[in-house]
Coordinates of all heavy atoms in Angstrom, one line a residue:
W237 N 6.6 -15.9 -37.3 CA 6.1 -16.0 -35.9 C 6.0 -14.6 -35.2 O 5.6 -14.5 -34.1 CB 7.1 -16.9 -35.0 CG 6.9 -18.3 -35.2 CD1 7.5 -19.1 -36.1 CD2 5.9 -19.1 -34.5 NE1 7.0 -20.4 -36.0 CE2 6.0 -20.4 -35.0 CE3 5.0 -18.9 -33.5 CZ2 5.3 -21.5 -34.6 CZ3 4.3 -19.9 -33.0 CH2 4.4 -21.2 -33.5
Y242 N 3.0 -10.2 -31.0 CA 2.2 -9.1 -30.9 C 0.8 -9.5 -30.3 O 0.3 -8.8 -29.4 CB 2.0 -8.4 -32.2 CG 3.2 -7.7 -32.7 CD1 3.9 -8.1 -33.9 CD2 3.7 -6.6 -32.0 CE1 5.0 -7.4 -34.3 CE2 4.8 -5.9 -32.4 CZ 5.4 -6.3 -33.6 OH 6.5 -5.6 -34.0
L245 N 1.3 -10.2 -26.6 CA 1.5 -8.9 -25.9 C 0.1 -8.3 -25.7 O -0.2 -7.8 -24.5 CB 2.4 -8.0 -26.7 CG 2.6 -6.6 -26.0 CD1 3.4 -6.7 -24.8 CD2 3.4 -5.8 -27.0
Y255 N -7.9 -7.2 -15.0 CA -7.6 -7.5 -13.6 C -7.4 -6.2 -12.7 O -8.0 -6.2 -11.6 CB -6.2 -8.2 -13.5 CG -5.7 -8.4 -12.1 CD1 -6.3 -9.3 -11.2 CD2 -4.7 -7.6 -11.6 CE1 -5.9 -9.4 -9.9 CE2 -4.2 -7.7 -10.3 CZ -4.8 -8.6 -9.4 OH -4.3 -8.6 -8.1
F260 N -9.5 -2.5 -8.6 CA -9.9 -1.2 -8.2 C -11.3 -1.1 -7.8 O -11.7 -0.4 -6.8 CB -9.6 -0.1 -9.3 CG -8.1 0.1 -9.4 CD1 -7.6 0.7 -10.6 CD2 -7.2 -0.1 -8.4 CE1 -6.3 1.0 -10.8 CE2 -5.9 0.1 -8.6 CZ -5.4 0.7 -9.8
K266 N -10.3 4.9 -5.9 CA -10.5 5.9 -6.9 C -9.1 6.6 -7.3 O -8.4 7.0 -6.4 CB -11.4 7.0 -6.4 CG -12.7 6.5 -6.0 CD -13.6 6.3 -7.2 CE -15.1 5.9 -6.7 NZ -15.8 5.3 -7.7
W272 N -4.2 8.6 -13.3 CA -4.6 8.0 -14.5 C -3.6 8.3 -15.6 O -3.3 7.4 -16.5 CB -5.9 8.7 -15.0 CG -7.2 8.0 -14.3 CD1 -7.9 8.6 -13.3 CD2 -7.6 6.7 -14.6 NE1 -8.8 7.7 -12.9 CE2 -8.7 6.5 -13.6 CE3 -7.3 5.7 -15.4 CZ2 -9.4 5.4 -13.7 CZ3 -8.0 4.6 -15.4 CH2 -9.1 4.4 -14.5
I273 N -3.1 9.5 -15.6 CA -2.1 9.9 -16.7 C -0.8 9.0 -16.5 O -0.3 8.5 -17.5 CB -1.7 11.4 -16.5 CG1 -2.8 12.2 -17.0 CG2 -0.4 11.7 -17.4 CD1 -2.7 13.7 -16.8
T288 N 9.2 -2.5 -29.9 CA 10.7 -2.3 -30.1 C 11.4 -3.6 -29.9 O 12.3 -3.9 -30.7 CB 11.2 -1.2 -29.2 OG1 10.5 0.0 -29.4 CG2 12.7 -0.9 -29.6
E295 N 14.6 -8.5 -36.4 CA 15.5 -8.1 -37.4 C 16.9 -8.7 -37.2 O 17.8 -8.4 -37.9 CB 15.5 -6.6 -37.5 CG 14.3 -6.0 -38.0 CD 14.3 -4.4 -38.0 OE1 15.4 -3.9 -37.6 OE2 13.4 -3.8 -38.4
G296 N 17.0 -9.6 -36.3 CA 18.3 -10.1 -36.0 C 19.3 -9.3 -35.2 O 20.5 -9.4 -35.3
Q297 N 18.7 -8.4 -34.4 CA 19.5 -7.5 -33.5 C 19.2 -7.8 -32.0 O 18.6 -7.0 -31.4 CB 19.2 -6.0 -33.8 CG 19.6 -5.6 -35.3 CD 21.0 -5.7 -35.5 OE1 21.8 -5.5 -34.7 NE2 21.4 -6.0 -36.8
A301 N 17.7 -5.3 -28.9 CA 16.4 -5.6 -28.3 C 16.5 -5.7 -26.8 O 15.7 -5.1 -26.1 CB 16.0 -7.0 -28.8
Y320 N 1.9 3.4 -7.6 CA 1.6 2.6 -6.5 C 1.8 3.3 -5.1 O 0.9 3.2 -4.2 CB 2.5 1.3 -6.4 CG 2.3 0.5 -5.3 CD1 1.2 -0.4 -5.1 CD2 3.3 0.5 -4.3 CE1 1.0 -1.1 -3.9 CE2 3.1 -0.3 -3.1 CZ 2.0 -1.0 -3.0 OH 1.8 -1.8 -1.8
R321 N 2.9 4.0 -5.0 CA 3.1 4.8 -3.7 C 2.1 5.9 -3.5 O 1.7 6.1 -2.4 CB 4.5 5.3 -3.7 CG 5.6 4.1 -3.5 CD 6.9 4.7 -3.4 NE 7.0 5.6 -2.3 CZ 8.0 5.7 -1.4 NH1 9.0 4.9 -1.6 NH2 8.0 6.6 -0.5
K324 N -1.2 4.1 -2.4 CA -1.0 3.6 -1.1 C -1.0 4.7 -0.1 O -1.5 4.5 1.0 CB 0.3 2.8 -1.1 CG 0.4 1.9 0.0 CD -0.5 0.7 -0.1 CE -0.2 -0.3 1.0 NZ -1.2 -1.2 1.1
A325 N -0.5 5.9 -0.4 CA -0.5 6.9 0.6 C -1.9 7.5 0.9 O -2.1 8.0 1.9 CB 0.4 8.1 0.0

Side-chain angles (χ1 to χ4, degrees):
W237 279 92
Y242 287 116
L245 179 67
Y255 169 76
F260 287 158
K266 303 282 185 194
W272 279 109
I273 291 174
T288 303
E295 289 179 0
Q297 300 292 330
Y320 172 77
R321 289 183 59 141
K324 195 71 170 166

